[in-house]
Amino acid sequence: MYLNRTHFNSLLRTASSKVTSQSVVRLAAIRAQLNPSPISLFSHQTRTMSIPTTMKAVVVEKLGGPEVLEFRSDQPVPTPQEGQLLVKNNISGVNYIDTYFRTGLYPSSKPEILGREGAGTVVALGPGSNPYNFKIGDRVAWLTTSGYAEYTAVPAVKAVKIPDEITDEDAIAGFLSGLTVITLAKETYAVQKGDWVLLHAAAGGAGFLMTQVLKSLGAKVIGTAGGPEKVALVKSLGADVVIDYRSEEGKDWVKKVKEATDGRGVDVVYDSVGKDTWEGSLEAVKRKGTIVWFGNASGPVPPLPLAKLSPKCVKVARPTLFGYIETREEFEFYVNELFALLKSGQLKVKIHNIYPLEQVIQAHTDLEGRKTTGKLLLKP
């Protein structure tokens, strides 16, 4: 006869006191088939733990300001494919690059879930091999996309286990930004002891970390920041000169840079501001110096006539982090260096605020309004 689930569960409760233990085992096996566990949410090849079918996430369907960030509570949980992990995010990073994808400065397909980094717990392993030996329950930090969500399907090749000594929050406060500044200071331009370095936005998420990295390398750092509070913060990190570009005196920051370097100019400029600073950066750099543009906080650098580089034989670079960590070996090398700095206390992170995922619009508004110092995080 047909035995439905309700009838069976009632029968099992009634019979359990009358049957042998072997019979109970058999009945329990039948019940497992009638009441499948959450593992059936994924392929039978996928190793997993209990996972819901929907999640909270922030979706962008069209280009625009912070108002296009739509918080949803019914977004489907992604299924990890071969070579992927499913991570339940504990914390996600907010980076200026997220605003570029939101506004269309950097093209991307819509709809999309923003967010390039996060930290959390592995709850499922995709089918196939597991060359990096991840396990269910591992605490990991990752780099990919779709971080503004409770769950993210992450390429295993871009995930690493977080050391016990480092919290999820500190890991992500220093992860994408920390890897960026370390590669900028060691590969884009190899900073040497005694080099004069001009660092724009020195109190921002990346600037806060980069000031410390530059000083650890023995550089003489000139930082720009907006407002007395930010100036004091950058000075506390050991910067040699800090210019408040919002002050009357600091508006001519190129002059201040020349004064600090006895008219010579700096060996290298790290410029994440872009449109508002690019011409001044060209003036402030020395003969045979280097300018590194790595962001567009005020807008992109306009098309640059190459003849502008000729008088001082200036070198320019426009790097991206992912070009430096393309291979697993490169990724692990720089992550290990970053984690060592965090564990030793040589690199300190600063968290501006941890916003609930529902307040993502406020997070973007604060970031673009230059109201923040240090890192912005989201709590899914």
Side-chain angles (χ1 to χ4, degrees):
M1 68 175 180
Y2 174 73
L3 184 65
N4 65 33
R5 189 173 301 169
T6 302
H7 186 191
F8 175 79
N9 289 338
S10 175
L11 177 62
L12 181 60
R13 286 193 297 270
T14 302
S16 60
S17 63
K18 301 178 181 179
V19 297
T20 66
S21 60
Q22 185 177 15
S23 298
V24 172
V25 170
R26 289 174 180 168
L27 287 169
I30 299 170
R31 182 170 61 182
Q33 293 183 342
L34 288 170
N35 297 279
S37 69
I39 197 169
S40 64
L41 290 172
F42 297 105
S43 160
H44 69 280
Q45 294 179 317
T46 303
R47 292 144 287 175
T48 182
M49 63 193 303
S50 180
I51 301 163
T53 57
T54 59
M55 65 178 181
K56 295 185 292 184
V58 175
V59 179
V60 175
E61 292 197 335
K62 60 184 179 181
L63 303 179
E67 70 280 356
V68 303
L69 297 162
E70 298 181 30
F71 173 78
R72 297 178 183 175
S73 58
D74 59 352
Q75 192 71 12
V77 172
T79 301
Q81 304 302 309
E82 185 170 356
Q84 291 185 330
L85 316 170
L86 184 66
V87 178
K88 187 180 191 302
N89 296 315
N90 178 46
I91 209 78
S92 300
V94 179
N95 295 286
Y96 222 99
I97 193 173
D98 301 342
T99 71
Y100 303 157
F101 289 110
R102 193 200 72 222
T103 61
L105 179 61
Y106 290 175
S108 58
S109 299
K110 300 291 184 292
E112 71 172 322
I113 297 173
L114 299 176
R116 312 280 286 186
E117 62 179 335
T121 303
V122 176
V123 294
L125 306 176
S129 63
N130 181 19
Y132 310 116
N133 298 315
F134 288 109
K135 301 184 297 295
I136 303 298
D138 280 346
R139 196 165 59 96
V140 298
W142 55 260
L143 294 176
T144 184
T145 58
S146 303
Y148 293 7
E150 285 187 281
Y151 293 87
T152 303
V154 176
V157 70
K158 285 297 182 281
V160 291
K161 297 175 186 177
I162 301 173
D164 292 339
E165 303 93 322
I166 302 174
T167 66
D168 291 355
E169 291 77 10
D170 285 354
I172 298 307
F175 202 54
L176 188 148
S177 297
L179 293 173
T180 296
V181 303
I182 291 172
T183 55
L184 290 177
K186 295 203 169 183
E187 289 218 38
T188 310
Y189 173 89
V191 175
Q192 304 298 312
K193 184 177 181 180
D195 280 351
W196 276 104
V197 179
L198 172 60
L199 173 63
H200 289 298
F208 179 87
L209 299 175
M210 191 154 199
T211 302
Q212 297 175 71
V213 169
L214 292 170
K215 291 306 299 179
S216 74
L217 295 172
K220 291 178 284 188
V221 178
I222 303 173
T224 66
E229 183 181 347
K230 292 185 177 182
V231 167
L233 174 64
V234 178
K235 284 182 178 178
S236 74
L237 299 173
D240 299 85
V241 179
V242 186
I243 302 169
D244 182 355
Y245 64 81
R246 290 182 179 172
S247 70
E248 195 60 37
E249 184 182 18
K251 286 180 180 177
D252 191 358
W253 53 268
V254 173
K255 179 181 177 182
K256 303 293 289 182
V257 171
K258 291 291 186 69
E259 289 174 355
T261 59
D262 296 325
R264 174 173 168 266
V266 295
D267 296 277
V268 60
V269 181
Y270 289 104
D271 189 340
S272 62
V273 177
K275 181 181 176 182
D276 290 351
T277 52
W278 74 275
E279 288 183 288
S281 293
L282 277 170
E283 291 182 57
V285 75
K286 74 171 189 177
R287 182 177 64 88
K288 297 194 287 186
T290 300
I291 300 176
V292 181
W293 282 299
F294 68 103
N296 315 278
S298 65
V301 175
L304 180 67
L306 292 179
K308 277 188 170 290
L309 308 179
S310 299
K312 292 195 290 185
C313 301
V314 173
K315 297 180 284 294
V316 297
R318 183 56 177 91
T320 177
L321 168 63
F322 293 93
Y324 291 129
I325 58 169
E326 183 173 332
T327 69
R328 179 69 184 187
E329 292 73 21
E330 291 170 326
F331 181 52
E332 288 186 352
F333 175 83
Y334 283 113
V335 167
N336 288 336
E337 186 162 339
L338 172 65
F339 284 167
L341 289 171
L342 291 173
K343 287 192 291 185
S344 69
Q346 291 178 268
L347 184 65
K348 293 178 171 58
V349 299
K350 179 176 175 58
I351 298 172
H352 173 77
N353 196 12
I354 300 176
Y355 300 78
L357 194 60
E358 296 90 329
Q359 294 180 16
V360 64
I361 290 177
Q362 187 63 54
H364 273 233
T365 301
D366 291 348
L367 182 64
E368 292 182 295
R370 301 187 182 183
K371 298 178 181 179
T372 65
T373 56
K375 187 76 171 189
L376 282 67
L377 301 175
L378 291 176
K379 185 76 174 176

